[in-house]
Amino acid sequence: MDSVGVAAAAPDAGQGPAWQSKCPWGAPSTTSISCSLADVMSEQLAKELQLEEENAAFPEVVAAAEGPFITGENIDTSSDLMLAQMLQMEFDREYDAQLRREEKKINGDSKVSISFENYRKVHPYDSDSSEDEVDWQDTRHDPYRADKPTTTPRRGFIGKGKDITTKHDEVVCGRKNTARMENFAPEFQVGDGIGMDLKLSNQVFNALKQHAYSEERRSARLHEKKEHSTAEKAVDPKTRLLLYKMVNSGMLETITGCISTGKESVVFHAYGGNATEDKVIPPECAIKVFKTTLNEFKNRDKYIKDDYRFKDRFSKLNPRKIIRMWAEKEMHNLTRMQNAGIPCPQVVILKKHVLVMSFIGQDQVPAPKLKDVTLSSEDMKKAYYQILNMMQQLYRECNLVHADLSEYNMLWHDGKVWLIDVSQSVEPTHPHGLEFLFRDCRNVSQFFQKGGVAEALNERELFNAVSGLNITADNEVDFQAEIEALEKMNEDHVQNHGKKLSTFSSDGDPPIYDE
Ligand code: ADP
Ligand code: MN
């Protein structure tokens, strides 16, 4: 840390006479006997001097502080935001401590205990547990950084900053603290404290400093781990252990290699081993390992984006649990599909974030994706009708919308289409379920129309055919507007009645719930 200018006074806690020699406000006393014009001049001079000194001392940081969200009217909000957040964190910690006391009191030494874990406000990440940090390596920027600009509503503090700015003389120390704050690591967003003439008390400054330091250290640690994991490429040690155990137990014969490395998952091929008590293991298996980056990807999920409250809930969820949740979701969805007779991988076992299923393909060669295979026009037509049928089954019998249906997630095997990749699939009454369905329909319809299937319905016809709804709009914009109106109607229903409409479809079949 380079201590220049006012920052040099730091060791004296900034209050001793050390700063006076450097402080521009010391200057007026030497000219105080001159005439009134000089008085005015000196004040101006002092202002200029101060500006000069500050600019000289922290030129880059001031420039750096012009972050994407510290512009115009918001010029003074960033530091206040950080202060507010830190205070909030302090408050949340106290809240959690109280929760723990209550938990202890209620449980006493009873054998059965209850846990308030899910009600805690401070994520383990913030309370310095190292256990969970690995999972955050790729995700921490999302909830804590990218969304920061949108969290400004705690305006109570902002006014305060503005109030202080007018009185110059008594608060030099505070201003210095603000200046020193600029010496925190460059990626530590401190805002334009100098520009707004913010003064920090020593206490607040020290708290911020501490926070900045631990942030820096954490960042370094995470960076290290990230590099490590890229080197490992496929899976982390804990996952490897899980896979070893599967082979060791005899459930799998061998894991032969990696079929696919996607953004969200790594898929391996394995030969099945011995059947266990109640399980027949397919001769060839696909192992889908959900990656930590899944969080990053799924956080951009529309649902989350639209639900501001998610941030709070998210902070209470263990990131590892979130990853498992997606694996679990894929398992449940595959099971529903299996029960409806839709060609898809059969679930073998789910262990944490690792899903073992039957392999679609043969002799280690996975079935080609629909986008990679050249079908005869006959097969193309056959595939189209099969998919139309499967989409209807999925919607009506499984109460699901695939939500990522395209030629990338359909495999051609054994003369028919197999659906895969259903971790993101949702029920039609999901706040954006129908929009997802419409997107699916567009993908399917475009693929087959381009592929020369004359009978292929257009996206709107396909949507109606799948959902059983009768949206009559003859252009995409109106159609989509009607879809959104339906979704809104459902959301209103949720608001008013506390539960979803059972289904959008008019065929009266009760939806299937598996949980
Ligand atoms: P992602 O979310 O990464 O797209 P997918 O479930 O689509 O995950 O799997 C990625 C790729 O792995 C697929 O495109 C497919 O080639 C292969 N794959 C996945 N599951 C299986 C399976 N059960 N049998 C054969 N190949 C599979
Ligand atoms: Mn996929």
Side-chain angles (χ1 to χ4, degrees):
M1 193 179 282
D2 57 325
S3 33
V4 277
V6 284
D12 307 332
Q15 232 145 8
W19 53 264
Q20 280 175 352
S21 56
K22 286 178 187 278
C23 175
W25 308 107
S29 66
T30 60
T31 52
S32 62
I33 34 161
S34 46
C35 70
S36 58
L37 177 66
D39 266 333
V40 177
M41 295 294 289
S42 71
E43 200 176 335
Q44 264 173 6
L45 181 72
K47 263 186 193 162
E48 278 165 24
L49 274 173
Q50 193 210 351
L51 267 177
E52 242 175 62
E53 184 177 329
E54 281 166 355
N55 286 344
F58 317 104
E60 293 142 283
V61 201
V62 172
E66 287 163 15
F69 52 89
I70 316 171
T71 50
E73 291 190 318
N74 282 337
I75 195 112
D76 60 343
T77 60
S78 183
S79 297
D80 289 332
L81 174 62
M82 186 171 62
L83 281 176
Q85 282 173 335
M86 289 196 58
L87 286 168
Q88 181 68 44
M89 175 109 77
E90 217 37 62
F91 179 81
D92 288 346
R93 284 215 179 95
E94 265 172 48
Y95 175 86
D96 287 356
Q98 175 63 21
L99 216 59
R100 273 190 204 99
R101 281 195 290 276
E102 263 173 49
E103 198 176 297
K104 218 169 150 191
K105 202 167 110 197
I106 289 172
N107 289 332
D109 40 31
S110 149
K111 284 200 179 93
V112 184
S113 62
I114 59 160
S115 166
F116 289 164
E117 187 65 43
N118 289 343
Y119 297 98
R120 297 223 168 101
K121 295 208 172 201
V122 181
H123 191 277
Y125 167 75
D126 291 314
S127 57
D128 234 357
S129 108
S130 55
E131 234 314 89
D132 283 311
E133 282 183 5
V134 188
D135 278 338
W136 279 98
Q137 62 190 11
D138 297 308
T139 66
R140 56 191 291 271
H141 288 285
D142 266 348
Y144 289 95
R145 307 260 158 150
D147 286 341
K148 238 178 168 180
T150 62
T151 59
T152 4
R154 289 182 200 129
R155 292 205 133 249
F157 287 86
I158 288 159
K160 199 180 165 192
K162 278 185 183 146
D163 286 350
I164 306 173
T165 42
T166 48
K167 297 195 183 70
H168 292 288
D169 36 358
E170 331 147 327
V171 281
V172 180
C173 172
R175 192 182 294 118
K176 269 184 191 168
N177 279 340
T178 304
R180 286 155 66 196
M181 188 172 75
E182 308 281 332
N183 281 340
F184 293 165
E187 64 274 17
F188 193 78
Q189 186 55 266
V190 294
D192 189 4
I194 292 175
M196 64 180 279
D197 208 6
L198 173 82
K199 288 99 197 159
L200 296 177
S201 77
N202 286 347
Q203 201 188 355
V204 174
F205 170 75
N206 284 336
L208 287 173
K209 189 172 77 177
Q210 208 51 48
H211 181 68
Y213 282 175
S214 57
E215 196 66 21
E216 218 177 329
R217 280 200 304 273
R218 182 182 290 142
S219 167
R221 266 205 312 273
L222 290 168
H223 186 68
E224 215 173 82
K225 280 178 180 161
K226 194 169 183 166
E227 290 207 325
H228 187 64
S229 76
T230 5
E232 290 290 342
K233 209 152 187 225
V235 292
D236 60 288
K238 277 183 186 161
T239 308
R240 224 177 307 143
L241 189 65
L242 261 176
L243 297 180
Y244 277 142
K245 280 184 185 167
M246 288 179 182
V247 177
N248 252 355
S249 70
M251 193 193 85
L252 296 179
E253 175 72 36
T254 44
I255 298 171
T256 60
C258 178
I259 308 169
S260 143
T261 329
K263 199 175 174 195
E264 305 171 59
S265 69
V266 186
V267 181
F268 297 96
H269 171 274
Y271 283 110
N274 307 319
T276 50
E277 312 102 47
D278 55 339
K279 264 203 166 59
V280 182
I281 314 288
E284 289 184 75
C285 294
I287 309 170
K288 185 165 177 176
V289 177
F290 287 76
K291 294 209 296 192
T292 50
T293 43
L294 185 65
N295 272 338
E296 183 178 43
F297 190 70
K298 292 295 176 185
N299 279 348
R300 304 187 189 284
D301 187 304
K302 269 189 160 189
Y303 183 81
I304 291 149
K305 225 169 34 189
D306 288 354
D307 188 352
Y308 183 72
R309 293 158 299 172
F310 172 82
K311 240 191 100 187
D312 281 357
R313 276 187 286 130
F314 184 81
S315 67
K316 282 179 213 144
L317 264 182
N318 179 334
R320 217 170 259 139
K321 280 188 188 152
I322 298 173
I323 298 155
R324 281 185 214 171
M325 203 175 75
W326 293 107
E328 218 174 282
K329 237 178 118 195
E330 173 129 34
M331 179 193 68
H332 283 302
N333 292 341
L334 282 175
T335 308
R336 284 193 201 184
M337 290 159 71
Q338 198 76 46
N339 290 341
I342 295 172
C344 68
Q346 186 171 2
V347 174
V348 177
I349 200 169
L350 172 76
K351 281 246 156 84
K352 297 185 176 178
H353 57 295
V354 175
L355 180 65
V356 183
M357 55 190 146
S358 63
F359 180 72
I360 314 298
Q362 207 180 357
D363 299 332
Q364 296 187 44
V365 183
K369 298 180 184 83
L370 220 48
K371 78 161 180 82
D372 291 327
V373 77
T374 320
L375 298 180
S376 67
S377 57
E378 217 172 293
D379 276 345
M380 198 68 175
K381 194 169 141 186
K382 189 173 137 194
Y384 172 72
Y385 279 111
Q386 194 207 330
I387 289 165
L388 170 60
N389 202 25
M390 286 196 293
M391 288 176 83
Q392 286 175 332
Q393 276 182 292
L394 200 60
Y395 189 95
R396 292 169 194 194
E397 292 170 42
C398 309
N399 196 36
L400 284 176
V401 169
H402 188 291
D404 193 15
L405 192 64
S406 73
E407 57 275 25
Y408 288 80
N409 283 327
M410 297 190 268
L411 306 182
W412 181 255
H413 178 64
D414 247 0
K416 60 182 172 191
V417 179
W418 298 65
L419 297 188
I420 59 162
D421 202 0
V422 289
S423 64
Q424 73 292 317
S425 302
V426 296
E427 299 193 344
T429 48
H430 177 283
H432 298 285
L434 294 183
E435 288 166 74
F436 294 154
L437 177 63
F438 189 56
R439 201 178 55 195
D440 285 355
C441 289
R442 189 189 294 138
N443 291 340
V444 168
S445 165
Q446 279 176 3
F447 178 76
F448 284 99
Q449 283 179 341
K450 275 190 199 143
V453 178
E455 294 88 344
L457 300 171
N458 71 35
E459 59 214 39
R460 281 167 274 132
E461 294 163 336
L462 184 57
F463 179 93
N464 282 339
V466 170
S467 65
L469 294 167
N470 189 26
I471 299 181
T472 48
D474 60 356
N475 65 79
E476 180 162 339
V477 175
D478 291 347
F479 201 91
Q480 230 151 359
E482 279 198 49
I483 285 176
E484 279 163 33
L486 275 173
E487 287 174 341
K488 183 162 187 316
M489 196 180 75
N490 180 50
E491 279 304 282
D492 291 346
H493 187 87
V494 175
Q495 294 294 318
N496 298 334
H497 299 86
K499 63 179 173 129
K500 292 176 176 183
L501 289 172
S502 58
T503 174
F504 286 112
S505 160
S506 48
D507 62 17
D509 282 346
I512 305 151
Y513 296 101
D514 66 347
E515 276 155 302

